[in-house]
Every structure is written in structure tokens, then in C-alpha cells.
């Protein structure tokens, strides 16, 4: 029964088996290093997620491409119906007529309607009415997506590129540093640190939540050094640098904070592998008092001094 409880506690949903020494569960940017294959195409589709999370450049390019595709489609329909069903068209060649129907479609879908070209006849009016309704719905959707992107809080918490094994109290500790480079206020910042490594003589991995010196700070205007004491209760106790590499140790850190400016809860995560950990080092202090203020040099987030381990 106790063994079952322990196994359930250690299940982080990141797969216990690792066939490769190069496997990394969480990338440095916080994304999971997992790819799902053989998923049916329509089950993979998630337009809202893709449009909200993609870059601004790709978002506007996607909107622009969709706008042109719809107008090309309706311009083709008007050409098929016949330009004689549109008043005020003067094009003679097919290209000239298609150009006029394209711009008429653009005016119709945006409900702009300059007035020179207008539909006559039942077929042309039905198509124009359908396009107007489609335009209203599409632009309402685009507006919602735009608002969703602006209202979605994106934290840019910076993590130190390295972790360190440094002397701490009467022993040693694993430490990383985090800072919020933006001016938005983050409150009640909670940190969760876990570690995974390969079991001895096995390809399976075990996962452990690590006890922290402090797992929450009420305010986060400065730099926070997250510390895990490596004492007798730590799964890392007496592990050497060589064992870190051989057992493919990976630390996973997750931060949860309340963003005062957006009134939303933010999440951020990153990871550290054995080769990204410096042994016998301690982060240097980044603060400098000047003009009655505490200045934090964010560029020195990875600076450290060599120290002898306990």
C-alpha cells in the first residue's frame, strides 16, 4: 500500500521511462519536450489556441491571408454569376472584371459599400447578403481574438541559464535565480521545484518534489534566489557531479504569481540539466544602492563566484 502511494506521488505525467541520455522533459523556454504522433488531423485542430498563442507577425499574416482568400473566393462567385449582375462595372478583359469584383467583395465583406458597384438580380443580391453576414461574423471573431491576445498576460520572468551547487548553512544547496525584467507587479509568487533522474541500473526515471528554503515571496520587485537545501532528507544527498551526469538529472522549476496589472494568475516554468549546473559556485549579489534606490543589474543574472563545497 505504501509503495503504491509513493508511486502515485512521484507520477508527474512526464513519462517514467527514458531511452536516451539526451532526453529532456521540459525545454528551457518552459515548453514540454513531447510530441504526439498518429493523431487524426481533425482531432489536432485547435484554431483558437493557435491564433492566440502564435507570434504577432504570424497572427497578422494569417488574418491577411484569410482576408484575401475569402475575397478571391467571392470574386470568383461574382464572375461565375456574371458581371452584368453588378452595376457600375466597366472592365472589359477578364482581369479587369475580376479586379472590380474583388474590390466589390472587399467593400461588401467590410460593409463599407462605396456605392459605384451594386448587385442587381436575385443571385447577386443573395451572394452579397451572405458575404455581408459572413463579414460581420468574421470581423467579430477577429476582434475577439485580438482582444484575447491583448488581454492574455504573458510573463517574461527570466531564469538564470545555470543552476549552482553552492555552500548553504551547514551543508550545500541547489540554487537558481529568477527576475521579472518588466515593470508589472507580481504578487504572492510561489515556486515549485522538482527533480527527476534515472534509477540505478534502470532506464526508468523517478521524480521528487524538493523542499525549498522559501517557496513563496509576497512581492517580487527584485531578484529571487530559489534554494533547495541538500540535507539528509533530500534525494540528492551525497550525489556527486559524476552521478548527476550519469543519471541524467533534470530539475524542473515552476512559478505561479498574481499579476496586479491584469488581475490574472501567471505560470512560468523552465528546467536545468546536469550540464547546466555549476558545482562549487555561488551567485553574486546584483543589487547596488544608488540615489536612494536599489538598482538590480539583470545582465548579471548568471554571474557567480567560486566557493568550496561543504
Amino acid at each position: 500500500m505504501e509503495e503504491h502511494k509513493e508511486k502515485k506521488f512521484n507520477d508527474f505525467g512526464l513519462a517514467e521511462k527514458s531511452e536516451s541520455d539526451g532526453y529532456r522533459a521540459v525545454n528551457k523556454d518552459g515548453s514540454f519536450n513531447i510530441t504526439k504522433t498518429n493523431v487524426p488531423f481533425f482531432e489536432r485542430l485547435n484554431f483558437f489556441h493557435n491564433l492566440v498563442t502564435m507570434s504577432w507577425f504570424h497572427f497578422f499574416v494569417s488574418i491577411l491571408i484569410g482576408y484575401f482568400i475569402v475575397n478571391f473566393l467571392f470574386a470568383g462567385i461574382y464572375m461565375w454569376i456574371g458581371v452584368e449582375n453588378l452595376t457600375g462595372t466597366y472592365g472589359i478583359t477578364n482581369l479587369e472584371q475580376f479586379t472590380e469584383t474583388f474590390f466589390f467583395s472587399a467593400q461588401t465583406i467590410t460593409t463599407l459599400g462605396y456605392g459605384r458597384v451594386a448587385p442587381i438580380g436575385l443571385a447577386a443580391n443573395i451572394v452579397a447578403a451572405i458575404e455581408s453576414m459572413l463579414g460581420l461574423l468574421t470581423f467579430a471573431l477577429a476582434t475577439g481574438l485580438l482582444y484575447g491576445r491583448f488581454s492574455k498576460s504573458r510573463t517574461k520572468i527570466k531564469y538564470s541559464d545555470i543552476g549552482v551547487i553552492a555552500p548553504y548553512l551547514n551543508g550545500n544547496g541547489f540554487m537558481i535565480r529568477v527576475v521579472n525584467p518588466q515593470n508589472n507587479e507580481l504578487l504572492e509568487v510561489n515556486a515549485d521545484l522538482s527533480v527527476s533522474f534515472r534509477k540505478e541500473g534502470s532506464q526508468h526515471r523517478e521524480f521528487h518534489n524538493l523542499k525549498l528554503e522559501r517557496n513563496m515571496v509576497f512581492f517580487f520587485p527584485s531578484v529571487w534566489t530559489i534554494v533547495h537545501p541538500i540535507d539528509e532528507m533530500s534525494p540528492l544527498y551525497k550525489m556527486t557531479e559524476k552521478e548527476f551526469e550519469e543519471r541524467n538529472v533534470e530539475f524542473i522549476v515552476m512559478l505561479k504569481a498574481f499579476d496586479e496589472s491584469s488581475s490574472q494568475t501567471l505560470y512560468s516554468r523552465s528546467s536545468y540539466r546536469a550540464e547546466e549546473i555549476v558545482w562549487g559556485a555561488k551567485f553574486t549579489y546584483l543589487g547596488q544602492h544608488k540615489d536612494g534606490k536599489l538598482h538590480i543589474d539583470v545582465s548579471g543574472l548568471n554571474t557567480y563566484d567560486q566557493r568550496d563545497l561543504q
Side-chain angles (χ1 to χ4, degrees):
M1 186 68 177
E2 293 297 327
E3 182 180 352
H4 174 72
K5 288 184 177 179
E6 178 68 17
K7 183 174 180 62
K8 183 177 180 181
F9 175 80
N10 286 338
D11 185 6
F12 286 5
L14 295 175
E16 291 185 353
K17 192 168 185 179
S18 172
E19 298 289 352
S20 171
D21 288 339
Y23 173 73
R24 183 178 204 140
V26 178
N27 297 315
K28 293 294 287 183
D29 63 359
S31 60
F32 292 107
N33 193 26
I34 297 173
T35 301
K36 301 180 182 71
T37 59
N38 297 323
V39 179
F41 175 76
F42 289 104
E43 291 184 16
R44 295 201 311 266
L45 292 180
N46 191 339
F47 290 112
F48 179 80
H49 172 77
N50 294 335
L51 289 170
V52 169
T53 57
M54 67 174 54
S55 68
W56 280 105
F57 175 77
H58 289 129
F59 175 75
F60 284 116
V61 168
S62 299
I63 295 296
L64 190 63
I65 291 175
Y67 176 78
F68 276 101
I69 289 176
V70 171
N71 282 301
F72 268 104
L73 175 63
F74 276 98
I77 294 175
Y78 290 124
M79 287 287 292
W80 176 69
I81 293 174
V83 293
E84 64 272 10
N85 291 293
L86 299 175
T87 62
T89 56
Y90 303 106
I92 298 175
T93 65
N94 287 335
L95 179 60
E96 291 174 341
Q97 292 175 351
F98 183 82
T99 301
E100 288 185 318
T101 57
F102 176 84
F103 286 115
F104 171 70
S105 172
Q107 295 161 18
T108 302
I109 201 170
T110 58
T111 67
L112 186 60
Y114 281 113
R116 183 174 72 85
V117 180
I120 56 175
L122 182 62
N125 276 285
I126 289 176
V127 174
I130 293 174
E131 185 176 10
S132 297
M133 182 184 67
L134 179 64
L136 289 172
L137 295 176
T138 303
F139 283 106
L141 178 61
T143 302
L145 288 170
L146 193 63
Y147 174 77
R149 292 181 63 87
F150 271 111
S151 62
K152 180 180 172 62
S153 294
R154 287 181 173 85
T155 179
K156 292 187 178 179
I157 291 177
K158 291 189 66 173
Y159 296 83
S160 57
D161 295 331
I162 59 171
V164 299
I165 303 294
Y168 175 74
L169 297 179
N170 296 323
N172 300 315
F174 170 75
M175 306 178 185
I176 62 172
R177 278 205 297 206
V178 293
V179 64
N180 177 24
Q182 298 180 319
N183 293 325
N184 60 318
E185 296 295 337
L186 299 181
L187 308 176
E188 297 182 358
V189 185
N190 287 269
D192 182 87
L193 183 66
S194 59
V195 67
S196 73
F197 46 82
R198 194 168 52 236
K199 297 178 181 178
E200 292 186 89
S202 172
Q203 288 293 335
H204 287 80
R205 301 181 68 83
E206 54 183 283
F207 296 82
H208 299 272
N209 280 325
L210 298 179
K211 180 181 177 182
L212 299 180
E213 169 204 44
R214 181 190 300 115
N215 61 6
M216 193 269 281
V217 292
F218 286 101
F219 309 107
F220 191 35
S222 182
V223 177
W224 182 15
T225 301
I226 299 174
V227 181
H228 163 62
I230 305 178
D231 53 22
E232 293 85 350
M233 302 299 294
S234 170
L236 307 175
Y237 187 60
K238 291 188 177 181
M239 284 184 66
T240 65
E241 182 176 2
K242 183 178 180 181
E243 286 180 293
F244 266 47
E245 295 175 355
E246 290 177 346
R247 301 180 68 176
N248 195 22
V249 170
E250 179 181 1
F251 293 91
I252 301 173
V253 57
M254 187 179 79
L255 298 183
K256 175 184 176 182
F258 179 79
D259 184 0
E260 191 177 44
S261 60
S262 65
S263 297
Q264 293 184 11
T265 301
L266 305 179
Y267 295 91
S268 177
R269 56 184 174 265
S270 188
S271 68
Y272 297 84
R273 294 185 61 200
E275 62 269 20
E276 296 165 346
I277 299 170
V278 180
W279 287 68
K282 194 162 189 175
F283 288 118
T284 56
Y285 182 63
L286 301 181
Q288 181 181 5
H289 291 275
K290 185 179 179 181
D291 302 327
K293 293 183 178 181
L294 176 62
H295 295 259
I296 302 296
D297 183 9
V298 178
S299 65
L301 195 62
N302 298 307
T303 57
Y304 60 86
D305 299 321
Q306 294 292 339
R307 298 290 181 89
D308 293 329
L309 296 178
Q310 302 286 342

